[in-house]
Every structure is written in structure tokens, then in C-alpha cells.
Amino acid sequence: MSTLTLDPPRRTQHRRSAPRHLDTRPPWSRQRWPRHLRGSRAGLAAVLAIQVGLSLRLNATAFQDEALYLDAGHQILRSWTGGPPPTENFASYFSGSPYVYPPIGALVDSFGGLAGARLLSLACCLLTTLLVAAVGRALFGPAARTASAAVFVISGPVLFIGHFATYDAMALLLLVGGLVLGLHAVRAASTTTARATAAAAWRRVLAFAFGAGVLLSASVVTKYMAALFIPSTLLLLVLVRRRSAHAATDSPAVPDRRALAAIPAGLALGAAVVVGGWLAMTGTDQLTGLVATTLSRTPLGRRPALEVARHGLAWGAPALALTLPGAIIIGRRLPALTVLLLVSSLLPIIFQARSGELTSLHKHVAFGLAYAAPLAGAGLAHVLARIDLYDPRRDLAPRMVTVTLAAVLLLASGVQTADGLFRTWADSQPLTSLLRTQVRYSSGHYLVEESEVPRYYLQDVTASWQWNGTYFFYYRDPRTGTPYTGLDAYRHALRDRYFDLVVLRFGPTAALDWQLKDLLADQTRYRRIATLPQPGGWTVWHRTDP
């Protein structure tokens, strides 16, 4: 029989008794492994506990993206409840729909603050880990379940997005959830039972496929980059279906043609419902953001392709390293499946190396690792079966020490990566504490480099419209009515003493900052009131009274 799993070691095989009822599981997952290699619930619970502990230990003030999405969500929620409209057209430059994660994250933030919003991401990542385990089990049998989850969790990017309040964790949950439902649809379509009528089987397949289409399209709406994995996911379902068809000769169950046709129909219907509803309720302005941030994105600081690839591989190193033996072991018998999972795991690195952009790659690598983990888990389960830690005829100590040391080293590498990613931005607490003494609600305008962070932290004492950043600014001369944008807008506004406070750090927009410094040095307009130490390095100017 052609299977999608490796045969368990012969010394641990047992003769199977006749089943009491027709086995409707997919043919590739019917083989029996030793009990200690099947992946117990306790083992999976231990993996989740490790994930919780390692993610929660990551702590820092809000990153610019976290502050932006949560503040945008608060503005959108206020507009939905009769308040003023948002101060910005978030749909025009967000890399995901501003009407999915931001309002949900803001709602959680209203009750639990930034910590609560980060816990939402952790919950999404924990559910994703369970789903990755389900994918490993569906593709390679029960032995790969816990191993797949463990490989996924030891990765730095996964630990990072598990305590990071952006839409990455939610989009990844929806993507892997769609894959799992798609596999269930294939399983339901591949076999029918004596107790189920063809009509009931068709409805069941349609329900699973519809759910898969809903979740897959919702993942793309949540974060547009998830679309990169939709072709791979669909190809994976096609490949599994074909392998199941080849193995059907050994199964007493008979596939139903209507059930098979229900898979693409359900997927298409689910996608149409989500995308159509999304555009109908929120408008087509979001398509501008989709094009600007994903389809024809202009890289922010183009890097050499090799440098981007090196960073991506380093961030995913623990899981990707375990994928290699899995590819060798599985690839000898299942080359198509192996290649598909390998390519899918590397898609973000390949895509961004081609464009030369490093921005957000560390988060996107986590998406690819969801496809690498089942393959690595299957290889890991095979290796553990061969060394058999429970074999009483062999000395336990050397094998246990070797396995434990390898696990500790891989986990330490992932933890170090996550820690490094969480230290890439400065602690904003000194700045927000200083600004809290200077700002006034609905009175004054504030020009701040990376203004999203103080705007989020000071939303209780300021209004959103009071804040301006250093990426874009529109200014109309109050005397002549002449409109200005870009550098001219900033310089005219400073000459007119439009801003009550100016905060620069000569960081992401250093080129603009230096072109404004001469006006800030004019003490008839502004006076410097503080220079905060590095790594923040913010300099704060206050408008000089006439």
C-alpha cells in the first residue's frame, strides 16, 4: 500500500485485530506505532507549557507597529459607536485589513492593555501549535503529532509573534486552521462508511471545504502576505487527495464523486463569502493597501539578496535544521510532498530575498515554519524510533544525554533569537513619561518621530488628530492658503510655529530630521527642553512663546 508515513520499526510492530467497525481514517495514518512514540496528550501539553513560558518572558514597551494597529483599532471602534471618523486612511497603507485584527486587538487592549493584546497573540499561537500537530498527524501519522508541535515551538519567530500584538499570530492561526479543515475535507471525501449515505458524506465534505475556504481567505484578509501560502496549501490538498486515491484500492470504502466535487466548490464558496462580505462592508479602498504593501511594494532600504536570505535562515535555524533529516528520510519515498513542504517553508525568505527587503521577514518566517514543522516532526519521530529510548536491551544514558543535549541547544537557539528580536527597539517609557507632563487634550500639535508609540500610550490625555509623524505631512499656509506636502510642509509648519512639541531621534527618518534641525536651532521658534539617553536618543523641543 502506498502511504504517506514511514513504516514503524519492525521490532515494535504488533498484529492488528479485525476492526469492530469500518475504519474511515485516511490510509496513510492507519499504521500502529509503539505507544510511547505516538505522542501523548501529556507530551503535547508539555510543549504548550514551554511555549507559554518562553513567550511570556519576552517583555518590552510597545513596538511602533503594535502601537499603530491598536490605536487604529481604537479609532475604528469609536467611529463604529458614533464617534469621529479615523484621522487616517489606514486601509491605504496597512498590510492587512484595518477592520479585522485592529478592532479585535483594541477591544482586548481596552480591558487588558498591551499585556492583554499580547496574550491574544499568545492564544492564537497556542492554537496554531495544536493545529500544526494535527497537520503532522494527518500527513505522517500519530508519531509526528507531538514532534511537529515541538519543532514549531522551538523557533524564535514563533515565540516572538506569540507575545507581539500585531495581526501575524491571528493570520497564521487562520491559515493553518484552513489547512486542517481542508485535510478533513479530503479525508471525508476519500472514504465513506457503511453507516453514512452518499448525501450525508457530500454535505460533510462541503461543510469542511467551506470552512477551509472561509479560514484561508480570512487569513489573507487579516494579513495580505498570507496569500503567498494559498497556492502551496491548495497543492498540498491536491497531493494528499491523489495519494489517497492511489491507496484506495486497499480500502473497502468507496469515494463518492459528488463528495470529491464538493471540495473545490466548498473552497470557492467560502472564499467568495469572505472576500465579498469584506469588500461589501468595508469598501474597496483596502485594495489600494493590498497593492501598495504586498503586490507592488517598494522595499524600505533594499538589501542584497544573500543578506536577506542569511537573516531569514538564521531566524528559522532550529526548525529548518531539523527539517533537513526529515526531508532526507521522507523524501526517499515521498519526494513530491517533501519538496512542496520544503519550498513552502522557504517561501517568505525566497520572496523577500528577491525583493531585497528585510522588513518583517522575522515574522513571516514563522508562517513558513508551520509547513516545515510537520516534515521535521516526521523525521524526528523516525529518528527517535530508531534509537528507541525505551529499549531495555540498550544502554539508556548515552542516548538520553545526546537527545537531551540536542533539544536544549536547539531550544536555546530559538530563545536567543526571540530575545534578540524583542530588543530591537528602544524603551519608550522615559519619553512617554516626559511627554505626559507637556501635552494637553485637544490643545496643541505634536510632531514626533515614530509618533504611533506616544499616541498609543497617551491616548487618555490627547486626541489622535494632535499627533503627526515624520513619514508624511500635509500643511496649508494659514495666510495664503497654499498647500504643501513632504519637506516643504514640515519647514513651513516649523516657521509658523505650528507644532507645540517636536521630538526627533535621527533614526528611521534621519534624512528628514537633519533638514529640519536648522529651524529647530532658532530659539525664537523652539527651545530644546530634553535630550534622552541612548538607545532611544530622543531630543525634545518646545515651542517658544512669542
Side-chain angles (χ1 to χ4, degrees):
M1 180 177 69
S2 176
T3 66
L4 280 178
T5 185
L6 297 177
D7 293 332
R10 291 187 177 181
R11 65 173 180 274
T12 57
Q13 287 182 340
H14 304 282
R15 180 174 297 178
R16 298 181 60 183
S17 59
R20 296 181 180 178
H21 58 82
L22 187 60
D23 191 351
T24 61
R25 291 178 298 166
W28 58 83
S29 64
R30 295 177 187 170
Q31 298 188 24
R32 291 182 62 86
W33 286 75
R35 184 178 298 275
H36 66 272
L37 290 175
R38 296 178 198 169
S40 65
R41 293 181 179 178
L44 197 55
V47 170
L48 295 176
I50 292 173
Q51 183 179 7
V52 170
L54 294 180
S55 288
L56 287 179
R57 62 184 294 274
L58 302 173
N59 191 32
T61 55
F63 181 62
Q64 181 181 4
D65 289 351
E66 292 180 293
L68 173 61
Y69 300 145
L70 294 178
D71 180 71
H74 283 295
Q75 293 190 45
I76 291 170
L77 287 177
R78 285 194 293 267
S79 70
W80 287 350
T81 55
T87 57
E88 301 179 49
N89 182 13
F90 298 114
S92 66
Y93 69 93
F94 271 21
S95 56
S97 173
Y99 304 106
V100 180
Y101 171 79
I104 297 175
L107 187 62
V108 176
D109 176 73
S110 299
F111 296 97
L114 179 62
R118 286 176 170 174
L119 284 177
L120 173 63
S121 294
L122 179 57
C124 290
C125 279
L126 291 173
L127 292 174
T128 303
T129 300
L130 292 175
L131 292 173
V132 168
V135 173
R137 179 187 176 94
L139 294 180
F140 302 110
R145 182 179 64 173
T146 302
S148 299
V151 171
F152 184 66
V153 164
I154 65 173
S155 308
V158 173
L159 297 175
F160 175 82
I161 68 171
H163 207 218
F164 196 64
T166 61
Y167 33 50
D168 298 276
M170 181 177 290
L172 181 56
L173 170 64
L174 294 170
L175 178 66
V176 183
L179 172 59
V180 170
L181 286 184
L183 291 173
H184 277 292
V186 171
R187 172 181 172 179
S190 299
T191 57
T192 58
T193 69
R195 299 178 182 179
T197 63
W202 183 86
R203 289 193 296 268
R204 185 183 182 195
V205 172
L206 183 64
F208 278 130
F210 177 80
V214 167
L215 293 185
L216 291 174
S217 54
S219 71
V220 177
V221 170
T222 303
K223 183 178 177 70
Y224 303 142
M225 190 280 304
L228 188 65
F229 295 93
I230 299 301
S232 296
T233 302
L234 297 179
L235 283 175
L236 180 58
L237 296 180
V238 171
L239 180 59
V240 171
R241 169 62 200 132
R242 291 186 61 185
R243 298 292 301 187
S244 178
H246 291 324
T249 56
D250 293 341
S251 174
V254 180
D256 180 67
R257 292 182 180 274
R258 288 185 301 171
L260 295 178
I263 297 177
L267 288 169
L269 180 61
V273 168
V274 171
V275 175
W278 168 55
L279 295 177
M281 291 187 296
T282 60
T284 58
D285 288 346
Q286 295 167 92
L287 298 179
T288 303
L290 171 62
V291 173
T293 64
T294 306
L295 299 180
S296 61
R297 180 183 178 93
T298 301
L300 299 174
R302 186 180 294 273
R303 305 286 189 91
L306 289 178
E307 180 183 351
V308 175
R310 179 176 60 82
H311 278 89
L313 292 174
W315 286 324
L320 294 177
L322 290 174
T323 304
L324 294 179
I328 295 172
I329 295 169
I330 306 296
R332 290 180 298 178
R333 294 182 57 183
L334 302 169
L337 176 64
T338 300
V339 170
L340 179 58
L341 292 175
L342 273 177
V343 172
S344 299
S345 67
L346 297 174
L347 274 178
I349 300 175
I350 297 171
F351 181 77
Q352 294 198 217
R354 182 176 176 272
S355 64
E357 183 169 19
L358 202 57
T359 303
S360 295
L361 178 59
H362 58 288
K363 297 184 294 182
H364 300 164
V365 165
F367 285 70
L369 296 180
Y371 292 80
L375 180 61
L380 181 61
H382 177 82
V383 171
L384 292 177
R386 292 306 176 189
I387 64 176
D388 201 346
L389 296 177
Y390 289 82
D391 189 349
R393 297 169 298 178
R394 302 174 63 187
D395 187 17
L396 176 64
R399 290 170 287 145
M400 182 64 75
V401 169
T402 301
V403 171
T404 303
L405 181 61
V408 169
L409 289 177
L410 290 171
L411 184 59
S413 175
V415 170
Q416 183 179 18
T417 298
D419 286 345
L421 292 173
F422 240 79
R423 290 196 300 265
T424 56
W425 63 93
D427 180 6
S428 61
Q429 193 276 331
L431 176 64
T432 53
S433 296
L434 172 63
L435 294 183
R436 185 172 288 276
T437 66
Q438 304 293 320
V439 298
R440 298 292 183 270
Y441 187 80
S442 294
S443 175
H445 300 87
Y446 314 122
L447 173 63
V448 182
E449 188 170 353
E450 298 170 327
S451 61
E452 297 84 0
V453 175
R455 182 172 67 182
Y456 164 73
Y457 278 115
L458 301 176
Q459 58 185 303
D460 59 325
V461 293
T462 61
S464 299
W465 59 264
Q466 294 180 255
W467 298 91
N468 297 100
T470 51
Y471 290 103
F472 176 81
F473 180 55
Y474 173 88
Y475 181 69
R476 183 180 295 274
D477 191 308
R479 296 176 297 275
T480 64
T482 305
Y484 298 97
T485 58
L487 176 62
D488 289 338
Y490 289 109
R491 292 188 64 86
H492 278 83
L494 289 174
R495 288 194 187 102
D496 294 341
R497 299 166 62 251
Y498 174 78
F499 299 111
D500 294 80
L501 289 172
V502 178
V503 182
L504 303 178
R505 62 185 296 251
F506 301 89
T509 57
L512 172 68
D513 298 350
W514 286 110
Q515 296 180 78
L516 304 180
K517 193 173 181 181
D518 61 314
L519 293 172
L520 295 171
D522 184 356
Q523 295 190 5
T524 63
R525 293 186 173 92
Y526 291 91
R527 57 185 176 87
R528 186 173 61 186
I529 62 173
T531 299
L532 301 179
Q534 296 293 341
W538 292 280
T539 302
V540 183
W541 288 268
H542 193 286
R543 185 177 63 180
T544 303
D545 293 331

